[in-house]
Amino acid sequence: MTSREQLLASTFVSLADTLVADFDVIDFLHTLAIRSVELLDADAAGIMLADSHGGMHVMASSAEEARLLELYELQNNEGPCLDCYRSGRPVAREDLPAMRTSWPAFTDQLQSLGFHSAQALPMRLRAETIGALNLFRLKPGRLTEADLSIGQAMADVATVGLIQERAIAASEQLATQLQTALSSRVQLEQAKGVLAQRAGLHIDEAFQVMRAYARSNNRRLSDVAAQVIDGTLDDNQVPKGPRPGPAAQPRT
């Protein structure tokens, strides 16, 4: 078995395992975003989920640039992720001119951040679509059919896991869980900024070291973020990993 096949198998196991005690939605979604970049010919990934009223929220991203692009989509009500969620089908365009025809403002923003391609895969189970996975590339063009199949399979497995985990709770708890996840996401963004400024880190590195600390100490990511914000977790307690380089370069 090759290293890619091993990573793919490990990814599907991780995405299917949502029945563990103290399941962490935010970390789960970040796993999907990061593994999408590692396994597919994509340079960044982001995930949006819908709340109980159909409103979309940015929930995870592999890099700060992906998060900014998804926020831009929401602010301007334009982009592949939104179209994907609304249609429940994969969304892509052949090239930049075709993208600009469909999403002019989004495409300009995409290029300003160094990307030249974006497409989205639905997070769905049968007729129910709960969100979308956005894939960004530094080079133009769509993903291959093989990569699209793998990406959709990962999104589908993650969706089944999320819906299965939700089904365990009562309907009132479902709304509470999503609201808690949304609040945790806001808190996480604040903590990234606080740690980045305090320790002189890149915003992506700040997230990486918080996540590494949470995992190595068997802590919830949201709890670590809260301690970073209120100052009860000293910077020296958070392990410093290697500083990440610039945005990924196109694969050759």
Side-chain angles (χ1 to χ4, degrees), residues 178-235:
L178 182 55
Q179 187 57 53
T180 299
L182 293 173
S183 299
S184 296
R185 180 67 203 178
V186 172
Q187 189 175 55
L188 178 59
E189 294 304 326
Q190 293 174 340
K192 283 163 58 177
V194 169
L195 185 59
Q197 182 178 32
R198 231 164 40 198
L201 305 176
H202 184 276
I203 195 75
D204 287 334
E205 185 182 12
F207 169 74
Q208 289 169 12
V209 297
M210 281 196 298
R211 189 184 189 214
Y213 178 84
R215 288 194 157 198
S216 63
N217 290 275
N218 197 27
R219 301 280 307 282
R220 289 176 64 87
L221 190 55
S222 55
D223 293 337
V224 172
Q227 285 195 281
V228 169
I229 292 170
D230 65 25
T232 57
L233 182 66
D234 186 79
D235 297 343

Side-chain angles (χ1 to χ4, degrees), residues 37-229:
V37 175
E38 292 173 342
L39 287 164
L40 310 176
D41 188 16
D43 299 289
I47 297 167
M48 289 189 196
L49 290 185
D51 60 25
S52 58
H53 304 292
M56 296 290 281
H57 302 270
V58 178
M59 298 300 295
S61 58
S62 66
E64 180 69 3
E65 292 84 356
R67 186 182 75 89
L68 293 175
L69 275 172
E70 297 212 307
L71 288 174
Y72 191 85
E73 283 193 68
L74 291 177
Q75 291 165 357
N76 292 273
N77 195 31
E78 175 190 301
C81 203
L82 295 178
D83 287 358
C84 178
Y85 170 69
R86 291 162 181 159
S87 67
R89 301 176 62 85
V91 170
R93 298 292 183 269
E94 291 295 337
D95 49 33
L96 281 170
M99 289 181 61
R100 187 165 283 107
T101 298
S102 298
W103 317 296
F106 170 79
T107 303
D108 287 344
Q109 184 72 5
L110 179 84
Q111 287 191 279
S112 74
L113 290 173
F115 297 103
H116 292 82
S117 173
Q119 57 195 105
L121 300 173
M123 296 185 67
R124 67 189 178 195
L125 178 61
R126 300 185 182 91
E128 182 178 3
T129 302
I130 66 171
L133 168 65
N134 247 356
L135 301 168
F136 305 103
R137 306 174 75 213
L138 296 175
K139 56 190 177 184
R142 300 186 184 198
L143 290 172
T144 64
E145 289 301 319
D147 269 9
L148 282 175
S149 296
I150 292 173
Q152 188 62 67
M154 289 194 298
D156 288 346
V157 170
T159 303
V160 170
L162 286 172
I163 291 176
Q164 175 179 257
E165 197 277 336
R166 290 178 179 183
I168 296 172
S171 58
E172 295 81 8
Q173 293 174 313
L174 295 181
T176 300
Q177 181 194 55
L178 182 55
Q179 187 57 53
T180 299
L182 293 173
S183 299
S184 296
R185 180 67 203 178
V186 172
Q187 189 175 55
L188 178 59
E189 294 304 326
Q190 293 174 340
K192 283 163 58 177
V194 169
L195 185 59
Q197 182 178 32
R198 231 164 40 198
L201 305 176
H202 184 276
I203 195 75
D204 287 334
E205 185 182 12
F207 169 74
Q208 289 169 12
V209 297
M210 281 196 298
R211 189 184 189 214
Y213 178 84
R215 288 194 157 198
S216 63
N217 290 275
N218 197 27
R219 301 280 307 282
R220 289 176 64 87
L221 190 55
S222 55
D223 293 337
V224 172
Q227 285 195 281
V228 169
I229 292 170

